Amino acid sequence: MEIKADTTVCIGAGMCALTVPDVFDQSEDEGTVVVLQSPVPPELEDAVRRAVTLCPSGAISAS
């Protein structure tokens, strides 16, 4: 699974980082999403799908 993150759309809610901290973080400067791992390890794929659905701005996607 690959992750795409659009920092121009991200509002810094942090749901992704709270849901899967091994895969997502937030920029210290802007608070926007930072992808730590892509491709995603198979054991984290379900959690990443959940993070994608929880993102209020739709800034992240996974395929």
Side-chain angles (χ1 to χ4, degrees):
M1 170 185 287
E2 295 287 333
I3 300 171
K4 293 182 183 173
D6 186 343
T7 57
T8 64
V9 175
C10 180
I11 61 171
M15 294 307 298
C16 56
L18 291 170
T19 305
V20 198
D22 290 339
V23 176
F24 299 105
D25 199 356
Q26 288 181 272
S27 162
E28 288 187 28
D29 297 329
E30 296 149 5
T32 55
V33 62
V34 174
V35 177
L36 301 174
Q37 300 188 59
S38 188
V40 175
E43 64 273 13
L44 296 177
E45 288 183 359
D46 287 341
V48 168
R49 285 187 193 95
R50 176 133 174 87
V52 168
T53 63
L54 291 173
C55 179
S57 65
I60 55 175
S61 62
S63 58

